[in-house]
Amino acid sequence: MPELPEVQTTVIGLQKHVVGLTITDIWSDLPKKTVTRPDFKETIKYSPYFLKFKRNVIGQKITGVYRRAKNILIDLSNGETILIHMKMTGHLLYGNYVQEKKEWVPSEKEKNDALRDPFNKWIHLVFTLSNKKQLVLSDLRKFATVTLLTEKHLKDLGPEPLEDSFDYKTFKAVLLRRPNGKIKQVLMDPKVIAGIGNIYSDEALWLANIHPLSRVGAVPEKQLKKLFTEVQNILKKGIDFGGDSTSDYRQLDGTPGSFHHRHNAYRKTKESCAKRGCSGTIVRIALANRGAHFCNKHQELYI
DNA sequence: GCTGCTGTTGGCGG
DNA sequence: CCCGCCAACAGCAG
């Protein structure tokens, strides 16, 4: 599940490998679904757009790659920017590929066997680059979207939690816009803070000793300060470990990250709490159509 | 072979 | 303001 650390891990790989290369061709087996119009929030999102996208992208040099929230942004020499959102099971891979029959597979000269991992075989979009290698999108559940960036895409996003300007004052102010909201839901809302999803919200709340159903406005200052610190710590740790590969996520070279070996809460249901001196158990509840995992002892509920 | 679960985001309705 | 529910999809456990 790509959240901020997974997207950042991929962006770091792209900055190292594809900046300076020119896009020479684009292929997709699901052009209408994967490459959406920039106004994809509207009803006509599946109308033909792929040809226009190709005209704007083929022949352009990649001048820079960066991240905003969970979006990968690829700057082109003509001033356009490609936006890629990996949603739940999408991830980008880079290597030597060939098309056999309809499917794209790593070529014989590709020595990196990680690209042959079954999680990496759901290829629905291929950028061929000027060095004859490919940048491909593998996406088992076909939810990822690619388009050209417009102003509308990023305007409602909350602040970036790892930027220097993101201090405790900002954190408190954005959270308190939803004082009666459940703290886990508010943390995951991209309009409040960018980039935090289910995994990292579970882990940050475990570290900060706060129950996920706590009301934002009822959490004492001291605990809120700790949460601010732990949110930043856990996101940085996710990046340091190359992201989380509990599920489909893989780094640009096809290898799994290793943050999922460091979980204390996410998907630890029924296990003993790992906090020192805590005799609690990790439990799972449904919250906002997904799972919330937390320790039934040391995470305090503030209502 | 069925059901439910996995999770991102925007949209809709109460 | 806050909540629940829904859609897109495919694999997997039971």
Side-chain angles (χ1 to χ4, degrees):
Chain A
M1 278 65 69
E3 301 181 29
L4 186 154
E6 290 72 39
V7 179
Q8 188 64 37
T9 298
T10 293
V11 164
I12 291 168
L14 291 170
Q15 287 168 342
K16 186 173 172 188
H17 289 107
V18 309
V19 171
L21 299 175
T22 295
I23 297 168
T24 59
D25 200 8
I26 304 175
W27 171 94
S28 177
D29 63 338
L30 299 165
K32 284 188 183 178
K33 173 150 179 56
T34 304
V35 181
T36 58
R37 291 167 57 95
D39 49 359
F40 63 86
K41 289 167 192 169
E42 295 164 27
T43 51
I44 45 175
K45 72 175 189 180
Y46 292 149
S47 59
Y49 179 71
F50 190 56
L51 289 178
K52 182 170 184 226
F53 179 81
K54 289 214 296 192
R55 280 200 301 274
N56 275 281
V57 170
I58 290 175
Q60 301 305 319
K61 188 167 150 182
I62 296 171
T63 57
V65 183
Y66 56 107
R67 178 190 62 74
R68 176 73 172 101
K70 298 175 188 170
N71 301 292
I72 295 169
L73 300 167
I74 302 174
D75 278 344
L76 304 176
S77 48
N78 63 352
E80 298 279 2
T81 299
I82 300 171
L83 180 155
I84 302 176
H85 196 300
M86 305 195 276
K87 295 285 174 135
M88 290 178 279
T89 57
H91 54 270
L92 295 177
L93 302 163
Y94 174 68
N96 290 293
Y97 283 81
V98 287
Q99 195 174 19
E100 284 181 2
K101 296 172 189 171
K102 298 241 166 154
E103 300 202 333
W104 286 82
V105 294
S107 71
E108 280 182 28
K109 67 177 174 182
E110 179 55 68
K111 301 297 181 227
N112 176 10
D113 277 333
L115 296 175
R116 299 182 176 88
D117 178 334
F119 281 101
N120 295 332
K121 71 177 187 183
W122 313 99
I123 296 170
H124 297 298
L125 183 68
V126 176
F127 295 92
T128 295
L129 304 170
S130 46
N131 62 355
K132 308 296 179 195
K133 292 194 183 192
Q134 279 76 22
L135 176 63
V136 310
L137 171 70
S138 178
D139 182 17
L140 186 145
R141 288 173 68 177
K142 304 176 186 168
F143 289 167
T145 55
V146 178
T147 191
L148 289 173
L149 177 69
T150 66
E151 288 163 16
K152 285 207 292 186
H153 290 115
L154 308 179
K155 75 176 172 60
D156 292 330
L157 291 172
E160 282 294 328
L162 294 184
E163 296 244 308
D164 290 343
S165 58
F166 189 76
D167 53 9
Y168 174 65
K169 197 181 153 198
T170 309
F171 178 72
K172 186 178 172 183
V174 292
L175 282 192
L176 282 176
R177 291 206 312 244
R178 305 263 305 274
N180 295 317
K182 293 167 187 138
I183 195 150
K184 178 174 165 72
Q185 262 181 284
V186 177
L187 280 176
M188 290 194 298
D189 186 338
K191 297 186 195 69
V192 175
I193 302 173
I196 304 172
N198 211 21
I199 297 171
Y200 294 91
S201 59
D202 272 354
E203 296 301 319
L205 289 167
W206 184 93
L207 289 166
N209 312 319
I210 300 170
H211 192 292
L213 297 181
S214 296
R215 301 287 160 170
V216 172
V219 178
E221 183 87 8
K222 188 181 165 197
Q223 279 73 16
L224 208 57
K225 275 189 178 156
K226 178 151 178 74
L227 180 60
F228 168 69
T229 306
E230 298 299 358
V231 162
Q232 291 196 320
N233 284 345
I234 203 68
L235 293 173
K236 285 179 196 162
K237 193 168 166 182
I239 297 169
D240 288 345
F241 283 92
D244 182 299
S245 296
T246 303
S247 180
D248 308 64
Y249 177 73
R250 295 295 183 272
Q251 303 180 76
L252 194 63
D253 67 357
T255 60
S258 57
F259 179 76
H260 49 291
H261 300 307
R262 296 294 201 278
H263 290 175
N264 289 301
Y266 181 76
R267 293 242 196 158
K268 291 283 186 181
T269 311
K270 293 182 181 168
E271 293 187 27
S272 301
C273 180
K275 187 182 173 74
R276 198 143 50 99
C278 182
S279 57
T281 303
I282 304 301
V283 295
R284 180 191 178 280
I285 57 168
L287 172 62
N289 275 337
R290 33 169 72 118
H293 312 77
F294 60 98
C295 169
N296 63 1
K297 188 146 188 184
H298 85 266
Q299 289 181 247
E300 198 160 340
L301 180 60
Y302 304 99
I303 293 290

